[in-house]
Amino acid sequence: MAETRPLYLGPRLRRLRRELGLTQQAMADDLEISPSYVALLERNQRPVTADMLLRLARTYRLDIADIAGDDGEDYARRLADILRDPLFADIDLPSLEVADLAMSFPGISEALLRLHGAYTRESQALAEQRASGPVAEENEPVREAQRFLGASRNYFHGIDVRAEELAGEIEQAGGATAWLAAKGVRVRFLPPDVMVDSLRRFDRHNQQLLIDDTLVASSRAFQIATHIAHTAMRSDIVAVVRGAAFAQTITATLVRRALAGYAAAAILMPYARFARAAEARRYDVEALCGLFGTSFEQVAHRLTTLHRPGEERVPFFFLRVDEAGNVSKRLDGAGFPFAAHGGGCPLWSVHQVFRWPGEVHTQWLELPDGQRFFSVARTVVSGEGRHARMKVTRAVALACAAEEAGKLVYSAGGDASVTPIGVTCRLCQRADCAARSVPPIGRDVLADDYRRAAQPYTFAES
């Protein structure tokens, strides 16, 4: 007769609660038990009974098999696999101790698995970099996702058309909240302590979309539109992702998330109406913010997508950087050379606007090959809305080809001088640049103990 042992699901139950965005009190109310009993279950001090298992499955619409799977056995198997690594060859690790660790301390087991996973990934990346140079970086998920979006010039016709249809339905219904209500979904705005570190959360059990009530209006609207995109446009987004072949599985997740954001912006700023307004207002980002109730970054992002056949507008490149120069978003709607490596030149004003928060700065740019562009840059802030929330200031820039600049309100007047910049120091051959951080590829640095030029490096003649 098979031995029946108690079922302990502490870490799994805690993970489920956090994924649902619930406090222990909220889960206790849902399951009609006490908060202290939820705490005991999560600490593995009480086994999960058959009745409790059924309550969990019924309340949160989950499969019992997904809830009751044996974490302990899975952890024991995975730990045994990583402990066969030669790194641990000189340590005596009896299988019984491994099983005890997995069963009794699943949190520590998960931490060890994550650490070894990170170690393995970094080791592989280093090996690939040494073996094949930049190829490893090209297959990195974020770069792969950026290349996918860039290959489409950041325009997805099916998603944009469907979003425009939804925008019409939402307007007729009296707004996104009313439209969702007609679908049986109630929108509620709740304080951050109830939201449990979430800006947006969908309570499937009660069919409620919960939004952090301290978000500014443009962020609230965007979060609601993103939920609509993830639900009403799920098949459209999945179809785009399914049609691509990615080297990394996580790339599909990143692209799906990017497309949901794309769809949300398209719902808030429907193509035909937005394109007409952009042209009429001469691409005045701040004016478009007021017309559509959106933020500076949201409008700038949307301007990179105006490539509908027969209704094209000015093609833009978009960049977002932090004060350390890290590029967190790069969208290419024009096929510019910035797309692959751009953003690293300190002479570009996008790196300097942190000195003037909230002010728009324009700049004419020239690349080493003579191509000229016009740039509009400004700081944006996320995390606003309440005291003690961490605020992050970044800079965003829109750039268009110089011949298109006359269509922009920003090009009238101002400084007409041209700033020579490089895509990145490693690819810029300008020898007289005092802002250079590293030598360019293919140039030999001259060693001269008796002369110091104004530039960081002097080079041998080619």
Side-chain angles (χ1 to χ4, degrees):
M1 184 175 181
E3 178 186 356
T4 302
R5 61 180 181 179
L7 181 63
Y8 292 94
L9 300 176
R12 179 166 296 191
L13 185 61
R14 182 165 55 251
R15 187 164 60 246
L16 170 65
R17 178 174 61 78
R18 289 175 176 171
E19 286 174 354
L20 294 172
L22 301 174
T23 62
Q24 288 184 340
Q25 178 68 59
M27 177 170 271
D29 292 342
D30 287 346
L31 299 174
E32 298 180 349
I33 57 177
S34 69
S36 59
Y37 189 54
V38 173
L40 290 171
L41 289 171
E42 290 189 355
R43 292 199 297 266
N44 274 347
Q45 293 178 347
R46 291 289 187 278
V48 175
T49 63
D51 174 65
M52 184 56 60
L53 202 57
L54 288 171
R55 287 195 203 188
L56 285 164
R58 185 172 57 249
T59 302
Y60 300 115
R61 301 183 183 183
L62 301 170
D63 191 313
I64 289 179
D66 291 338
I67 305 173
D70 195 335
D71 275 344
E73 289 185 3
D74 181 53
Y75 279 138
R77 177 185 56 77
R78 292 165 62 196
L79 282 172
D81 287 342
I82 71 169
L83 292 174
R84 282 194 285 269
D85 190 308
L87 181 68
F88 308 113
D90 60 339
I91 305 174
D92 183 22
L93 297 166
S95 57
L96 185 60
E97 290 186 11
V98 174
D100 284 345
L101 173 65
M103 189 63 66
S104 304
F105 303 100
I108 293 176
S109 300
E110 178 65 25
L112 290 173
L113 290 168
R114 289 188 190 181
L115 283 171
H116 188 268
Y119 158 75
T120 302
R121 286 191 299 273
E122 290 302 312
S123 297
Q124 290 173 345
L126 183 59
E128 290 171 1
Q129 187 176 9
R130 287 175 176 171
S132 54
V135 174
E137 181 185 347
E138 289 297 305
N139 289 332
E140 196 270 330
V142 173
R143 285 285 297 114
E144 192 177 19
Q146 288 173 345
R147 288 201 313 278
F148 174 79
L149 297 173
S152 302
R153 293 185 67 196
N154 199 34
Y155 176 72
F156 299 89
H157 187 73
I159 291 177
D160 225 308
V161 170
R162 176 60 183 141
E164 194 164 30
E165 293 172 356
L166 275 174
E169 294 176 18
I170 290 168
E171 186 175 12
Q172 287 184 350
T177 300
W179 185 87
L180 284 168
K183 305 293 182 184
V185 176
R186 179 187 178 195
V187 179
R188 297 184 63 195
F189 299 96
L190 300 173
D193 57 328
V194 178
M195 291 297 294
V196 195
D197 298 324
S198 299
L199 300 181
R200 179 190 79 249
R201 179 167 61 82
F202 182 52
D203 178 357
R204 290 178 295 179
H205 174 56
N206 295 304
Q207 289 294 291
Q208 295 184 139
L209 177 60
L210 310 178
I211 304 291
D212 184 333
D213 66 2
T214 62
L215 292 177
V216 296
S218 58
S219 294
R220 286 189 183 193
F222 188 80
Q223 292 301 329
I224 294 172
T226 301
H227 173 76
I228 293 173
H230 275 300
T231 51
M233 298 183 62
R234 184 175 184 82
S235 59
D236 303 275
I237 292 170
V238 169
V240 174
V241 176
R242 189 180 292 131
F246 299 118
Q248 304 283 338
T249 54
I250 195 173
T251 305
T253 300
L254 295 176
V255 169
R256 192 165 57 247
R257 186 172 69 181
L259 292 178
Y262 177 103
I267 290 170
L268 295 174
M269 295 168 274
Y271 193 99
R273 187 153 58 93
F274 182 78
R276 287 195 301 269
E279 194 167 52
R281 302 302 173 107
R282 298 188 64 202
Y283 300 89
D284 185 334
V285 178
E286 292 138 309
L288 294 171
C289 290
L291 283 173
F292 291 90
T294 46
S295 71
F296 190 95
E297 182 175 347
Q298 289 166 359
V299 170
H301 188 162
R302 183 61 169 148
L303 285 172
T304 69
T305 69
L306 301 183
H307 309 298
R308 179 175 292 182
E311 300 179 58
E312 298 92 340
R313 297 300 192 274
V314 173
F316 287 100
F317 170 78
F318 174 93
L319 188 78
R320 187 179 72 187
V321 299
D322 63 21
E323 291 187 75
N326 299 304
V327 177
S328 54
K329 189 182 289 185
R330 182 186 285 124
L331 299 166
D332 185 23
F336 292 152
F338 299 121
H341 308 284
C345 183
L347 300 179
W348 190 0
S349 63
V350 69
H351 300 285
Q352 301 161 14
V353 293
F354 293 101
R355 304 175 197 168
W356 307 283
E359 295 183 16
V360 172
H361 283 257
T362 62
Q363 188 178 30
W364 294 91
L365 308 170
E366 183 179 76
L367 292 178
D369 63 1
Q371 292 186 80
R372 290 193 173 186
F373 303 95
F374 183 72
S375 165
V376 178
R378 202 199 85 165
T379 58
V380 295
V381 181
S382 63
E384 294 180 299
R386 66 182 174 93
H387 177 68
R389 173 181 281 165
M390 186 171 119
K391 295 178 179 60
V392 180
T393 301
R394 300 184 179 93
V396 297
L398 280 171
C400 69
E403 55 268 25
E404 299 277 7
K407 299 175 183 177
L408 276 60
V409 66
Y410 302 103
S411 65
D415 186 359
S417 61
V418 177
T419 302
I421 72 165
V423 173
T424 176
C425 285
R426 297 292 282 167
L427 299 178
C428 179
Q429 297 292 335
R430 286 193 175 97
D432 59 350
C433 180
R436 177 179 295 283
S437 59
V438 294
I441 296 171
R443 298 294 296 272
D444 293 326
V445 177
L446 283 177
D448 192 340
D449 296 338
Y450 302 100
R451 176 176 175 270
R452 173 64 166 87
Q455 297 78 35
Y457 304 96
T458 53
F459 309 112
E461 294 297 325
S462 301

